[in-house]
Amino acid sequence: MEVALLLGVMMILLAYGVPIAFSIGISSSVFLMVTQMKPLILIAQRTVLGTDSFPLLAIPLFTLGGYLMESSGLSKRLVGCIEKLLGGAPGSVGTVTIVCCTIFAALTGSGPATVAAIGAIMLPAMLKNGYSKSETGGILAAAGSLGPVIPPSICMIVYGSTMNVSIPEMFVAAIVPGLLLAASFVAVNLVMNRNKKAASAVKYSRKEVMESFIQAVPVLLLPVIILGGIYTGIFTPTEAAVTCVIYSLVLGIAYREMKFSDLISAMKKTIVTSGMVMFIMAMSANFGWILSAAKIPTTVANALVPYLGNRFVFTVLLLILLFIAGCFMEVLALVVILAPILIPIGVQLGMDPLHLGVTFCIALVMGLITPPFGMNLFTAAAVCDTTFVEIVKGALPYICVALIMISLFAFVPQITLFLPGLMAGGRHGGEKSFKRSNRIARSSGA
Protein backbone atom coordinates (compact mmCIF):
# COMPACT_ATOMS: atom_id res chain seq x y z
CA MET A 1 0.00 0.00 0.00
CA GLU A 2 2.80 2.43 0.92
CA VAL A 3 4.65 1.65 -2.33
CA ALA A 4 1.49 2.22 -4.38
CA LEU A 5 0.80 5.53 -2.63
CA LEU A 6 4.29 6.96 -3.02
CA LEU A 7 4.94 5.84 -6.60
CA GLY A 8 1.33 6.22 -7.72
CA VAL A 9 1.12 9.92 -6.82
CA MET A 10 4.45 10.58 -8.50
CA MET A 11 3.46 8.79 -11.72
CA ILE A 12 0.15 10.66 -11.89
CA LEU A 13 1.97 13.97 -11.55
CA LEU A 14 4.49 13.00 -14.23
CA ALA A 15 1.66 11.95 -16.55
CA TYR A 16 0.20 15.46 -16.22
CA GLY A 17 3.54 17.00 -17.17
CA VAL A 18 4.67 18.16 -13.72
CA PRO A 19 8.52 18.53 -13.69
CA ILE A 20 10.32 15.58 -12.14
CA ALA A 21 11.70 17.50 -9.13
CA PHE A 22 8.26 18.83 -8.17
CA SER A 23 6.70 15.40 -8.74
CA ILE A 24 9.17 13.81 -6.32
CA GLY A 25 8.71 16.57 -3.71
CA ILE A 26 4.89 16.62 -3.88
CA SER A 27 4.57 12.81 -3.75
CA SER A 28 6.85 12.74 -0.70
CA SER A 29 4.76 15.44 1.00
CA VAL A 30 1.50 13.65 0.22
CA PHE A 31 2.93 10.41 1.62
CA LEU A 32 3.88 12.10 4.91
CA MET A 33 0.48 13.77 5.25
CA VAL A 34 -1.50 10.59 4.56
CA THR A 35 0.59 8.23 6.67
CA GLN A 36 1.35 10.80 9.40
CA MET A 37 4.79 9.21 9.64
CA LYS A 38 6.61 12.48 10.35
CA PRO A 39 5.75 16.21 10.46
CA LEU A 40 6.02 18.14 7.19
CA ILE A 41 8.96 20.13 8.50
CA LEU A 42 10.96 17.04 7.54
CA ILE A 43 10.59 18.09 3.87
CA ALA A 44 12.50 21.33 4.48
CA GLN A 45 15.14 19.61 6.59
CA ARG A 46 15.78 16.78 4.15
CA THR A 47 15.77 19.15 1.17
CA VAL A 48 18.67 21.08 2.68
CA LEU A 49 20.51 17.94 3.76
CA GLY A 50 20.07 16.45 0.29
CA THR A 51 22.51 18.92 -1.22
CA ASP A 52 24.82 19.17 1.81
CA SER A 53 27.23 16.59 0.38
CA PHE A 54 30.89 17.03 -0.51
CA PRO A 55 30.87 14.56 -3.47
CA LEU A 56 27.93 16.39 -5.07
CA LEU A 57 30.12 19.49 -5.47
CA ALA A 58 31.78 17.59 -8.32
CA ILE A 59 28.65 17.95 -10.46
CA PRO A 60 28.71 21.75 -11.05
CA LEU A 61 32.51 21.72 -11.18
CA PHE A 62 32.77 19.02 -13.88
CA THR A 63 29.93 20.76 -15.74
CA LEU A 64 31.82 24.07 -15.66
CA GLY A 65 35.00 22.30 -16.78
CA GLY A 66 33.16 20.88 -19.78
CA TYR A 67 31.80 24.26 -20.86
CA LEU A 68 35.25 25.86 -20.44
CA MET A 69 36.74 23.22 -22.75
CA GLU A 70 34.21 24.11 -25.44
CA SER A 71 35.48 27.68 -25.55
CA SER A 72 39.20 27.23 -24.83
CA GLY A 73 40.32 25.56 -28.06
CA LEU A 74 40.90 22.15 -26.43
CA SER A 75 38.43 20.30 -28.63
CA LYS A 76 39.93 21.73 -31.85
CA ARG A 77 43.44 20.57 -30.91
CA LEU A 78 42.11 17.17 -29.96
CA VAL A 79 40.28 16.72 -33.26
CA GLY A 80 43.31 17.89 -35.28
CA CYS A 81 45.60 15.38 -33.57
CA ILE A 82 43.23 12.40 -33.92
CA GLU A 83 42.53 13.25 -37.56
CA LYS A 84 46.24 13.19 -38.44
CA LEU A 85 46.71 9.90 -36.59
CA LEU A 86 43.65 8.04 -37.91
CA GLY A 87 42.45 9.96 -40.94
CA GLY A 88 44.01 7.99 -43.79
CA ALA A 89 41.56 5.07 -44.13
CA PRO A 90 38.16 5.04 -45.90
CA GLY A 91 35.32 5.89 -43.53
CA SER A 92 37.82 7.08 -40.95
CA VAL A 93 36.16 10.47 -40.47
CA GLY A 94 33.47 8.66 -38.45
CA THR A 95 36.16 6.87 -36.47
CA VAL A 96 37.88 10.18 -35.76
CA THR A 97 34.56 11.58 -34.49
CA ILE A 98 33.94 8.60 -32.19
CA VAL A 99 37.48 8.61 -30.79
CA CYS A 100 37.32 12.36 -30.18
CA CYS A 101 33.97 11.95 -28.42
CA THR A 102 35.45 9.16 -26.29
CA ILE A 103 38.37 11.32 -25.14
CA PHE A 104 36.21 14.40 -24.69
CA ALA A 105 33.75 12.30 -22.67
CA ALA A 106 36.59 11.48 -20.27
CA LEU A 107 37.12 15.22 -19.85
CA THR A 108 33.54 16.40 -19.30
CA GLY A 109 31.39 13.45 -18.22
CA SER A 110 28.44 15.01 -20.08
CA GLY A 111 26.73 13.53 -23.13
CA PRO A 112 25.08 16.67 -24.61
CA ALA A 113 28.25 18.74 -24.02
CA THR A 114 30.30 16.15 -25.92
CA VAL A 115 27.84 16.14 -28.84
CA ALA A 116 27.83 19.93 -29.05
CA ALA A 117 31.60 20.43 -28.75
CA ILE A 118 32.76 17.70 -31.15
CA GLY A 119 29.78 18.05 -33.48
CA ALA A 120 30.44 21.73 -34.14
CA ILE A 121 33.96 20.87 -35.36
CA MET A 122 33.37 17.54 -37.13
CA LEU A 123 30.05 18.26 -38.91
CA PRO A 124 31.59 20.08 -41.93
CA ALA A 125 34.28 17.39 -42.35
CA MET A 126 31.75 14.54 -42.18
CA LEU A 127 29.41 16.16 -44.71
CA LYS A 128 32.37 16.86 -47.01
CA ASN A 129 33.45 13.22 -46.85
CA GLY A 130 30.13 11.73 -47.89
CA TYR A 131 28.20 11.35 -44.62
CA SER A 132 24.60 12.51 -44.61
CA LYS A 133 23.23 14.67 -41.81
CA SER A 134 21.32 11.64 -40.56
CA GLU A 135 24.47 9.47 -40.38
CA THR A 136 26.50 12.29 -38.86
CA GLY A 137 23.91 13.01 -36.19
CA GLY A 138 23.55 9.31 -35.40
CA ILE A 139 27.29 8.93 -34.82
CA LEU A 140 27.47 12.08 -32.70
CA ALA A 141 24.49 11.09 -30.57
CA ALA A 142 25.80 7.55 -30.01
CA ALA A 143 29.40 8.56 -29.30
CA GLY A 144 28.21 11.38 -27.06
CA SER A 145 26.45 8.83 -24.84
CA LEU A 146 29.91 7.69 -23.74
CA GLY A 147 30.13 10.90 -21.67
CA PRO A 148 28.20 9.54 -18.67
CA VAL A 149 29.85 6.09 -19.03
CA ILE A 150 33.58 6.82 -19.24
CA PRO A 151 34.76 8.42 -15.98
CA PRO A 152 34.46 10.97 -14.61
CA SER A 153 30.71 10.38 -14.80
CA ILE A 154 28.13 12.64 -13.18
CA CYS A 155 25.64 9.76 -13.26
CA MET A 156 28.02 7.58 -11.22
CA ILE A 157 28.73 10.40 -8.77
CA VAL A 158 25.00 10.66 -8.09
CA TYR A 159 24.65 6.87 -7.84
CA GLY A 160 27.60 6.59 -5.45
CA SER A 161 26.19 9.34 -3.24
CA THR A 162 22.70 7.83 -3.28
CA MET A 163 23.68 4.20 -2.67
CA ASN A 164 26.80 4.81 -0.54
CA VAL A 165 29.07 3.06 -3.05
CA SER A 166 32.71 4.09 -3.55
CA ILE A 167 32.80 6.56 -6.44
CA PRO A 168 36.49 5.85 -7.29
CA GLU A 169 35.72 2.12 -7.58
CA MET A 170 32.77 2.82 -9.86
CA PHE A 171 34.99 4.98 -12.06
CA VAL A 172 37.54 2.18 -12.40
CA ALA A 173 34.89 -0.45 -13.08
CA ALA A 174 33.39 1.65 -15.90
CA ILE A 175 36.62 2.03 -17.88
CA VAL A 176 36.59 -1.36 -19.66
CA PRO A 177 32.84 -1.28 -20.52
CA GLY A 178 33.20 2.31 -21.76
CA LEU A 179 36.14 1.48 -24.04
CA LEU A 180 34.44 -1.67 -25.37
CA LEU A 181 31.31 0.35 -26.12
CA ALA A 182 33.42 2.91 -28.00
CA ALA A 183 35.18 0.11 -29.94
CA SER A 184 31.81 -1.39 -30.92
CA PHE A 185 30.68 2.01 -32.27
CA VAL A 186 33.90 2.27 -34.31
CA ALA A 187 33.30 -1.23 -35.72
CA VAL A 188 29.74 -0.36 -36.75
CA ASN A 189 30.93 2.83 -38.44
CA LEU A 190 33.69 1.05 -40.38
CA VAL A 191 31.30 -1.67 -41.56
CA MET A 192 28.52 0.71 -42.61
CA ASN A 193 30.69 3.49 -44.03
CA ARG A 194 33.67 1.62 -45.50
CA ASN A 195 32.96 3.21 -48.89
CA LYS A 196 33.05 6.77 -47.56
CA LYS A 197 36.05 9.00 -48.22
CA ALA A 198 38.97 9.09 -45.83
CA ALA A 199 39.00 11.78 -43.16
CA SER A 200 42.04 13.30 -44.83
CA ALA A 201 43.19 12.93 -48.43
CA VAL A 202 46.53 14.44 -47.46
CA LYS A 203 49.24 12.12 -46.23
CA TYR A 204 50.89 13.83 -43.31
CA SER A 205 54.57 13.49 -42.57
CA ARG A 206 55.83 12.18 -39.27
CA LYS A 207 56.91 15.70 -38.35
CA GLU A 208 53.41 17.09 -38.89
CA VAL A 209 51.87 14.25 -36.92
CA MET A 210 54.29 14.82 -34.05
CA GLU A 211 53.65 18.57 -34.06
CA SER A 212 49.93 17.98 -33.92
CA PHE A 213 50.39 15.46 -31.11
CA ILE A 214 52.54 17.87 -29.10
CA GLN A 215 49.87 20.57 -29.46
CA ALA A 216 47.26 18.12 -28.15
CA VAL A 217 49.39 16.78 -25.26
CA PRO A 218 47.95 19.25 -22.70
CA VAL A 219 44.45 18.08 -23.65
CA LEU A 220 45.38 14.40 -23.52
CA LEU A 221 47.05 14.87 -20.14
CA LEU A 222 43.87 16.11 -18.47
CA PRO A 223 42.09 12.73 -18.15
CA VAL A 224 45.38 11.19 -17.02
CA ILE A 225 45.73 13.82 -14.29
CA ILE A 226 42.09 13.60 -13.18
CA LEU A 227 41.67 9.83 -13.19
CA GLY A 228 45.21 9.10 -12.07
CA GLY A 229 44.81 11.45 -9.12
CA ILE A 230 41.53 9.81 -8.10
CA TYR A 231 42.76 6.23 -8.42
CA THR A 232 46.00 6.84 -6.55
CA GLY A 233 44.23 8.65 -3.75
CA ILE A 234 45.92 12.01 -4.34
CA PHE A 235 42.55 13.75 -4.44
CA THR A 236 38.85 12.95 -4.25
CA PRO A 237 36.45 13.15 -7.24
CA THR A 238 35.36 16.60 -6.05
CA GLU A 239 38.94 17.84 -5.82
CA ALA A 240 39.55 16.32 -9.26
CA ALA A 241 36.68 18.44 -10.59
CA VAL A 242 38.33 21.57 -9.17
CA THR A 243 41.56 20.51 -10.90
CA CYS A 244 39.65 20.10 -14.18
CA VAL A 245 38.23 23.63 -13.97
CA ILE A 246 41.56 25.27 -13.12
CA TYR A 247 43.42 23.27 -15.78
CA SER A 248 40.87 24.17 -18.48
CA LEU A 249 40.92 27.82 -17.47
CA VAL A 250 44.71 28.00 -17.53
CA LEU A 251 44.89 26.32 -20.96
CA GLY A 252 42.20 28.62 -22.33
CA ILE A 253 44.18 31.66 -21.20
CA ALA A 254 47.48 30.21 -22.44
CA TYR A 255 46.01 29.46 -25.90
CA ARG A 256 44.45 32.97 -25.96
CA GLU A 257 41.22 31.53 -27.32
CA MET A 258 39.03 32.15 -24.29
CA LYS A 259 37.45 35.57 -23.86
CA PHE A 260 36.03 36.95 -20.64
CA SER A 261 32.56 36.71 -22.21
CA ASP A 262 33.16 32.99 -22.79
CA LEU A 263 33.90 32.52 -19.10
CA ILE A 264 30.72 34.34 -18.11
CA SER A 265 28.71 32.28 -20.63
CA ALA A 266 30.18 29.02 -19.30
CA MET A 267 29.30 29.99 -15.74
CA LYS A 268 25.71 30.89 -16.72
CA LYS A 269 25.25 27.53 -18.50
CA THR A 270 26.72 25.75 -15.48
CA ILE A 271 24.26 27.46 -13.14
CA VAL A 272 21.31 26.39 -15.28
CA THR A 273 22.48 22.80 -15.76
CA SER A 274 23.74 22.10 -12.24
CA GLY A 275 20.80 23.97 -10.69
CA MET A 276 18.41 21.55 -12.35
CA VAL A 277 20.44 18.53 -11.19
CA MET A 278 20.84 19.76 -7.61
CA PHE A 279 17.13 20.60 -7.32
CA ILE A 280 16.32 17.03 -8.30
CA MET A 281 18.85 15.75 -5.75
CA ALA A 282 17.36 17.99 -3.02
CA MET A 283 13.83 16.71 -3.62
CA SER A 284 15.09 13.14 -3.94
CA ALA A 285 16.55 13.30 -0.43
CA ASN A 286 12.98 13.27 0.90
CA PHE A 287 12.08 10.40 -1.37
CA GLY A 288 15.11 8.38 -0.29
CA TRP A 289 14.49 8.99 3.40
CA ILE A 290 10.87 7.82 3.07
CA LEU A 291 11.97 4.67 1.26
CA SER A 292 14.42 3.90 4.03
CA ALA A 293 12.17 4.82 6.97
CA ALA A 294 9.20 2.89 5.60
CA LYS A 295 11.48 -0.05 4.69
CA ILE A 296 9.97 -0.06 1.20
CA PRO A 297 13.07 -1.52 -0.58
CA THR A 298 13.20 -4.41 1.89
CA THR A 299 9.47 -5.03 1.52
CA VAL A 300 9.70 -5.01 -2.29
CA ALA A 301 12.78 -7.26 -2.26
CA ASN A 302 11.18 -9.81 0.07
CA ALA A 303 8.03 -9.83 -2.06
CA LEU A 304 9.76 -10.23 -5.43
CA VAL A 305 12.80 -12.44 -4.73
CA PRO A 306 10.76 -15.69 -4.41
CA TYR A 307 9.21 -15.04 -7.83
CA LEU A 308 12.35 -13.91 -9.65
CA GLY A 309 13.96 -17.30 -9.20
CA ASN A 310 17.56 -16.41 -9.99
CA ARG A 311 20.00 -13.70 -11.04
CA PHE A 312 19.40 -14.26 -14.75
CA VAL A 313 15.68 -13.48 -14.55
CA PHE A 314 16.34 -10.44 -12.35
CA THR A 315 18.99 -9.11 -14.73
CA VAL A 316 16.70 -9.49 -17.75
CA LEU A 317 13.85 -7.68 -16.00
CA LEU A 318 16.22 -4.98 -14.67
CA LEU A 319 17.59 -4.22 -18.14
CA ILE A 320 14.13 -4.11 -19.71
CA LEU A 321 12.88 -1.74 -17.02
CA LEU A 322 15.92 0.55 -17.26
CA PHE A 323 15.88 0.65 -21.07
CA ILE A 324 12.19 1.60 -21.08
CA ALA A 325 12.44 4.07 -18.17
CA GLY A 326 15.48 5.74 -19.73
CA CYS A 327 13.39 6.57 -22.80
CA PHE A 328 10.99 8.74 -20.83
CA MET A 329 12.74 10.20 -17.80
CA GLU A 330 15.94 12.06 -16.94
CA VAL A 331 18.84 9.74 -16.04
CA LEU A 332 19.79 11.30 -12.70
CA ALA A 333 16.18 11.29 -11.50
CA LEU A 334 15.88 7.60 -12.33
CA VAL A 335 19.04 6.88 -10.32
CA VAL A 336 17.64 8.35 -7.13
CA ILE A 337 14.16 6.86 -7.67
CA LEU A 338 14.89 3.33 -8.88
CA ALA A 339 18.28 2.43 -7.42
CA PRO A 340 17.16 2.26 -3.75
CA ILE A 341 14.29 -0.03 -4.75
CA LEU A 342 15.90 -2.33 -7.34
CA ILE A 343 19.52 -2.69 -6.24
CA PRO A 344 18.73 -4.34 -2.85
CA ILE A 345 16.90 -7.09 -4.75
CA GLY A 346 20.00 -7.90 -6.79
CA VAL A 347 22.20 -7.80 -3.70
CA GLN A 348 19.83 -10.18 -1.92
CA LEU A 349 20.17 -12.54 -4.89
CA GLY A 350 23.94 -12.52 -4.34
CA MET A 351 25.01 -10.12 -7.12
CA ASP A 352 28.07 -7.88 -6.69
CA PRO A 353 27.01 -4.31 -5.65
CA LEU A 354 29.76 -2.71 -7.76
CA HIS A 355 28.78 -4.65 -10.88
CA LEU A 356 25.12 -3.85 -10.25
CA GLY A 357 25.87 -0.14 -9.90
CA VAL A 358 27.90 0.14 -13.10
CA THR A 359 25.34 -1.92 -15.04
CA PHE A 360 22.55 0.26 -13.66
CA CYS A 361 24.24 3.50 -14.75
CA ILE A 362 25.30 2.27 -18.21
CA ALA A 363 21.82 0.89 -18.95
CA LEU A 364 20.18 4.19 -18.00
CA VAL A 365 22.59 6.09 -20.23
CA MET A 366 20.93 4.36 -23.18
CA GLY A 367 18.11 6.80 -22.59
CA LEU A 368 20.32 9.57 -24.01
CA ILE A 369 20.15 7.98 -27.48
CA THR A 370 16.73 6.35 -27.30
CA PRO A 371 13.58 8.09 -28.59
CA PRO A 372 11.28 9.78 -27.72
CA PHE A 373 13.19 11.90 -25.17
CA GLY A 374 16.87 11.13 -25.80
CA MET A 375 18.75 14.34 -24.95
CA ASN A 376 21.68 13.48 -27.23
CA LEU A 377 19.28 13.01 -30.14
CA PHE A 378 17.82 16.49 -29.67
CA THR A 379 21.30 18.00 -29.30
CA ALA A 380 22.55 16.23 -32.45
CA ALA A 381 19.47 17.40 -34.37
CA ALA A 382 20.26 21.00 -33.39
CA VAL A 383 23.96 20.66 -34.27
CA CYS A 384 23.23 19.03 -37.65
CA ASP A 385 20.25 21.29 -38.41
CA THR A 386 17.99 18.38 -39.32
CA THR A 387 14.90 16.65 -37.94
CA PHE A 388 14.70 14.45 -34.88
CA VAL A 389 13.44 11.54 -36.99
CA GLU A 390 16.48 11.70 -39.28
CA ILE A 391 18.83 11.58 -36.28
CA VAL A 392 17.00 8.55 -34.90
CA LYS A 393 17.42 6.76 -38.24
CA GLY A 394 21.15 7.44 -38.22
CA ALA A 395 21.54 6.35 -34.59
CA LEU A 396 19.55 3.11 -34.93
CA PRO A 397 22.52 0.79 -35.78
CA TYR A 398 24.47 2.19 -32.84
CA ILE A 399 21.48 1.82 -30.51
CA CYS A 400 21.22 -1.86 -31.49
CA VAL A 401 24.90 -2.59 -30.86
CA ALA A 402 24.76 -0.65 -27.58
CA LEU A 403 21.88 -2.83 -26.39
CA ILE A 404 23.91 -5.94 -27.21
CA MET A 405 27.05 -4.67 -25.48
CA ILE A 406 25.22 -3.52 -22.34
CA SER A 407 23.51 -6.91 -22.09
CA LEU A 408 26.95 -8.52 -22.37
CA PHE A 409 28.27 -6.36 -19.53
CA ALA A 410 25.24 -7.26 -17.40
CA PHE A 411 25.57 -11.04 -17.83
CA VAL A 412 29.38 -11.22 -17.70
CA PRO A 413 30.38 -9.47 -14.44
CA GLN A 414 34.08 -10.18 -15.07
CA ILE A 415 34.12 -7.44 -17.73
CA THR A 416 33.18 -4.85 -15.13
CA LEU A 417 35.06 -6.29 -12.15
CA PHE A 418 38.30 -7.22 -13.95
CA LEU A 419 40.06 -3.87 -13.64
CA PRO A 420 39.02 -3.13 -10.02
CA GLY A 421 40.17 -6.62 -9.05
CA LEU A 422 43.46 -6.18 -10.88
CA MET A 423 44.18 -2.81 -9.31
CA ALA A 424 43.08 -3.85 -5.82
CA GLY A 425 44.92 -7.18 -5.81
CA GLY A 426 41.66 -9.13 -5.99
CA ARG A 427 38.22 -7.56 -5.75
CA HIS A 428 37.42 -9.20 -2.41
CA GLY A 429 40.92 -9.86 -1.25
CA GLY A 430 42.00 -6.58 0.31
CA GLU A 431 42.03 -2.98 -0.83
CA LYS A 432 45.64 -2.30 -1.83
CA SER A 433 45.79 0.34 -4.51
CA PHE A 434 42.35 1.59 -3.55
CA LYS A 435 42.84 1.74 0.18
CA ARG A 436 43.63 5.40 0.41
CA SER A 437 41.22 6.62 -2.26
CA ASN A 438 38.33 4.66 -0.75
CA ARG A 439 39.13 6.03 2.71
CA ILE A 440 39.05 9.58 1.33
CA ALA A 441 35.82 8.88 -0.53
CA ARG A 442 34.14 7.47 2.57
CA SER A 443 35.29 10.36 4.74
CA SER A 444 33.83 12.80 2.21
CA GLY A 445 30.50 10.99 2.04
CA ALA A 446 31.00 9.03 -1.22
Side-chain angles (χ1 to χ4, degrees):
M1 179 61 184
E2 292 176 333
V3 179
L5 174 63
L6 184 63
L7 298 181
V9 172
M10 185 173 63
M11 292 303 161
I12 291 173
L13 292 171
L14 289 173
Y16 276 94
V18 178
I20 180 67
F22 290 102
S23 298
I24 295 173
I26 293 172
S27 61
S28 300
S29 302
V30 170
F31 182 89
L32 292 180
M33 287 189 293
V34 172
T35 61
Q36 297 182 342
M37 192 168 69
K38 286 285 181 179
L40 280 179
I41 194 174
L42 179 71
I43 296 294
Q45 293 173 344
R46 289 288 162 180
T47 297
V48 174
L49 291 174
T51 55
D52 186 17
S53 172
F54 182 71
L56 290 181
L57 285 173
I59 295 175
L61 290 169
F62 274 126
T63 303
L64 176 58
Y67 286 127
L68 289 176
M69 290 172 206
E70 287 186 47
S71 55
S72 62
L74 301 188
S75 51
K76 288 191 292 186
R77 284 169 169 77
L78 175 63
V79 170
C81 174
I82 301 301
E83 183 177 338
K84 288 181 173 63
L85 289 172
L86 304 176
S92 60
V93 67
T95 301
V96 170
T97 302
I98 295 170
V99 172
C100 289
C101 284
T102 302
I103 298 175
F104 201 78
L107 301 176
T108 65
S110 170
T114 302
V115 174
I118 302 301
I121 299 172
M122 292 303 301
L123 176 62
M126 295 189 74
L127 296 178
K128 180 181 177 181
N129 286 271
Y131 286 80
S132 66
K133 288 187 176 181
S134 175
E135 293 169 328
T136 301
I139 290 176
L140 286 170
S145 68
L146 297 170
V149 176
I150 296 177
S153 165
I154 293 175
C155 178
M156 292 181 185
I157 292 172
V158 172
Y159 181 93
S161 300
T162 303
M163 299 302 296
N164 197 28
V165 176
S166 170
I167 296 173
E169 277 203 30
M170 288 199 69
F171 281 179
V172 174
I175 291 176
V176 173
L179 293 178
L180 288 177
L181 202 55
S184 68
F185 289 160
V186 169
V188 172
N189 167 68
L190 292 178
V191 170
M192 297 189 62
N193 301 297
R194 57 188 180 275
N195 296 324
K196 297 287 194 304
K197 297 178 183 178
S200 175
V202 180
K203 190 171 183 179
Y204 295 98
S205 65
R206 289 185 180 180
K207 182 180 179 181
E208 290 174 313
V209 172
M210 283 303 300
E211 288 177 351
S212 176
F213 178 77
I214 291 172
Q215 290 179 352
V217 163
V219 185
L220 299 173
L221 276 179
L222 183 52
V224 176
I225 294 171
I226 293 174
L227 302 180
I230 293 173
Y231 301 153
T232 56
I234 296 175
F235 40 62
T236 66
T238 302
E239 292 163 348
V242 176
T243 304
C244 175
V245 171
I246 295 174
Y247 192 92
S248 303
L249 192 58
V250 169
L251 285 182
I253 295 173
Y255 291 151
R256 298 181 180 180
E257 295 192 24
M258 181 185 293
K259 301 176 183 177
F260 183 73
S261 59
D262 294 329
L263 176 60
I264 298 301
S265 176
M267 295 177 71
K268 288 181 178 179
K269 292 178 182 178
T270 300
I271 291 172
V272 173
T273 303
S274 58
M276 175 190 67
V277 174
M278 298 308 291
F279 188 33
I280 292 174
M281 292 299 298
M283 291 295 101
S284 299
N286 300 293
F287 189 85
W289 184 88
I290 289 173
L291 289 177
S292 176
K295 298 181 180 180
I296 291 176
T298 303
T299 303
V300 173
N302 292 336
L304 293 181
V305 166
Y307 299 99
L308 292 176
N310 54 52
R311 303 178 191 180
F312 179 83
V313 176
F314 170 76
T315 303
V316 171
L317 295 178
L318 177 68
L319 290 178
I320 293 174
L321 175 61
L322 294 179
F323 289 154
I324 294 174
C327 296
F328 298 96
M329 288 180 63
E330 205 272 334
V331 170
L332 300 183
L334 287 172
V335 170
V336 296
I337 292 172
L338 296 180
I341 298 174
L342 299 177
I343 297 302
I345 300 176
V347 172
Q348 192 166 330
L349 289 170
M351 300 179 70
D352 188 284
L354 181 59
H355 171 243
L356 267 176
V358 174
T359 300
F360 189 96
C361 292
I362 295 178
L364 281 181
V365 164
M366 275 296 299
L368 290 173
I369 56 173
T370 309
F373 299 114
M375 184 60 69
N376 279 16
L377 298 174
F378 287 110
T379 306
V383 170
C384 297
D385 191 25
T386 187
T387 64
F388 180 81
V389 174
E390 287 300 310
I391 299 297
V392 172
K393 290 179 181 178
L396 192 57
Y398 302 93
I399 295 174
C400 293
V401 75
L403 290 172
I404 295 171
M405 294 300 295
I406 293 171
S407 300
L408 179 65
F409 303 151
F411 290 107
V412 186
Q414 291 78 8
I415 297 175
T416 301
L417 300 178
F418 166 73
L419 196 55
L422 187 67
M423 296 182 69
R427 168 86 175 97
H428 303 285
E431 306 275 323
K432 294 183 179 179
S433 300
F434 275 97
K435 188 173 182 180
R436 186 182 174 192
S437 61
N438 286 345
R439 184 173 66 249
I440 294 175
R442 285 194 297 271
S443 67
S444 62

